[in-house]
């Protein structure tokens, strides 16, 4: 059964992508973009489409930005995400900021588009979330689909034709160490806590134990595990971020949990940081880089 991954944002790579077409930020005589093709390559996820169109209350957007900020995220072994942000000039609205998020999920053998989010930021702001239905792809294969969805409540429609997505390449998932095994039987996860009696971290005072000590204990047991380093951004009073670590990070352990795949994740709070730090796509100290092969020759750059 398909299921959405339960973990928070983790590993991120941000890249500026130049959209195809030298005049991609110009408008045709009818006020519509001349070029709505996209090519977003963010390392762990690569998306290409012949035509992307976002329509709302008589306004048409899509693929008209000269550059887009593209971010790929590995939220768990069962999830990938690609966010794209760009600005388009509309004849009546001026500069309009647009965002799309493709959420991808996998059950280990197949993968699919779990959700698509769209946000338009102007005086009539629009935010919509869709759950496109359609075929998935085998893990390791490219997904080729078209999307036509509409949210009548938000008065927004999204049309993406000739869409191909490359993600979940074999060998690109987050790995903690070679030949590790799940700490519990897959599918048996309920309310059990890894620190409960009879569990791998039984008797460990998590709040008073360094991440390094917990890591050494789980390595000895050969149990698959990762860390999530949580830190607040000093530029914001509320925003924070979560990074994937396979090496034990510095910080204070707050709790441990089981993931869908039977591995253990240890949550660690670190020192505040001024901004989100550049980091490896596969996670700090992880065996896999999570990166796709270089873009095909001739692909838009």
């Amino acid at each position: 059964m398909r299921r959405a991954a339960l973990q928070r944002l983790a590993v991120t790579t941000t890249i500026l992508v130049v959209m195809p077409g030298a005049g991609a930020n110009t408008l045709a005589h009818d006020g519509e973009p001349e070029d709505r093709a996209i090519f977003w390559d963010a390392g762990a996820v690569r998306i290409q489409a012949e035509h992307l169109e976002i329509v709302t209350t008589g306004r048409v957007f899509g693929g008209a930005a000269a550059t887009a900020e593209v971010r790929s995220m590995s939220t768990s072994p069962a999830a990938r995400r690609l966010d794209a942000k760009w600005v388009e000039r509309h004849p009546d609205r001026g500069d309009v900021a647009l965002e799309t998020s493709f959420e991808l999920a996998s059950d280990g053998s197949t993968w699919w588009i779990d959700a698509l989010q769209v946000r338009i930021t102007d005086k009539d702001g629009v935010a919509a979330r869709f759950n496109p239905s359609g075929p998935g792809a085998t893990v390791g294969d490219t997904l080729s689909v078209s999307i036509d969805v509409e949210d009548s409540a938000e008065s927004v429609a999204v049309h993406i034709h000739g869409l191909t997505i490359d993600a979940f390449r074999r060998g690109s998932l987050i790995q903690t160490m070679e030949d590790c095994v799940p700490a519990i039987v897959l599918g048996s996860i309920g309310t059990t806590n890894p620190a409960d009696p009879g569990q791998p971290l039984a008797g460990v005072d998590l709040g008073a134990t360094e991440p390094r000590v917990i890591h050494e204990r789980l390595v000895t047991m050969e149990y698959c595990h990762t860390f999530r380093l949580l830190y607040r951004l000093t530029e914001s009073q509320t925003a924070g971020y979560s990074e994937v670590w396979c090496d034990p990070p510095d910080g204070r352990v707050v709790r441990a949990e089981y993931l869908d795949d039977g591995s253990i994740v240890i949550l660690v709070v670190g020192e505040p940081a001024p901004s989100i730090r550049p980091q490896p796509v596969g996670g700090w100290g992880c065996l896999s880089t999570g990166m796709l092969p270089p873009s095909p020759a001739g692909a838009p750059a």
Side-chain angles (χ1 to χ4, degrees):
M1 178 182 297
R2 294 183 177 183
R3 63 182 187 277
L6 302 178
Q7 297 309 302
R8 303 174 49 178
L9 257 65
V11 181
T12 304
T13 292
T14 303
I15 303 173
L16 281 181
V17 176
V18 179
M19 306 295 283
N25 60 345
T26 62
L27 295 171
H29 67 278
D30 61 356
E32 294 187 356
E34 293 177 340
D35 189 348
R36 295 208 184 101
I38 61 169
F39 184 85
W40 295 334
D41 187 351
V45 181
R46 182 180 298 146
I47 291 179
Q48 186 167 4
E50 298 172 359
H51 181 95
L52 177 141
E53 185 175 273
I54 302 171
V55 183
T56 178
T57 58
R59 296 169 287 159
V60 182
F61 303 98
T67 58
E69 180 183 303
V70 180
R71 174 184 298 178
S72 67
M73 305 180 189
S74 302
T75 62
S76 85
R80 295 284 186 272
R81 176 171 166 168
L82 184 142
D83 294 340
K85 299 180 181 181
W86 72 96
V87 175
E88 292 189 25
R89 180 172 293 277
H90 192 272
D92 299 326
R93 302 286 177 133
D95 288 346
V96 178
L98 296 103
E99 302 177 36
T100 62
S101 296
F102 289 80
E103 298 179 12
L104 314 174
S106 172
D107 60 11
S109 59
T110 60
W111 67 277
W112 59 91
I113 301 173
D114 198 50
L116 170 64
Q117 297 188 66
V118 173
R119 181 181 297 275
I120 304 172
T121 305
D122 64 2
K123 65 179 182 180
D124 298 317
V126 172
R129 179 183 176 90
F130 305 97
N131 297 101
S133 60
T138 300
V139 168
D141 291 346
T142 297
L143 177 64
S144 298
V145 294
S146 289
I147 295 176
D148 290 286
V149 289
E150 182 177 358
D151 184 333
S152 57
E154 289 288 342
S155 300
V156 60
V158 180
H159 308 288
I160 311 176
H161 299 157
L163 172 65
T164 60
I165 306 178
D166 202 354
F168 292 103
R169 286 292 188 101
R170 294 194 184 278
S172 70
L173 300 183
I174 299 168
Q175 301 177 44
T176 57
M177 59 185 184
E178 294 180 356
D179 301 323
C180 66
V181 297
I184 60 175
V185 176
L186 300 185
S188 66
I189 304 171
T191 58
T192 305
N193 187 302
D196 285 346
Q199 300 301 310
L201 298 178
V204 177
D205 183 351
L206 295 179
T209 306
E210 295 182 5
R212 172 185 55 81
V213 175
I214 296 175
H215 173 68
E216 292 172 353
R217 179 183 179 118
L218 295 176
V219 167
T220 300
M221 296 177 172
E222 299 185 349
Y223 285 147
C224 300
H225 63 282
T226 55
F227 295 86
R228 298 295 184 272
L229 179 63
L230 315 174
Y231 58 89
R232 183 174 59 83
L233 301 181
T234 54
E235 61 193 21
S236 169
Q237 294 299 314
T238 58
Y241 202 71
S242 172
E243 298 175 349
V244 166
W245 285 65
C246 294
D247 291 336
D250 293 330
R252 177 176 57 85
V253 175
V254 291
R255 68 178 184 273
E257 300 173 354
Y258 285 117
L259 299 185
D260 295 11
D261 58 7
S263 67
I264 296 173
V265 61
I266 301 97
L267 280 65
V268 180
V269 175
E271 293 295 324
S275 60
I276 297 173
R277 298 177 290 229
Q279 54 197 287
V281 174
W284 296 102
C286 299
L287 297 177
S288 174
T289 65
M291 299 294 285
L292 296 172
S295 298

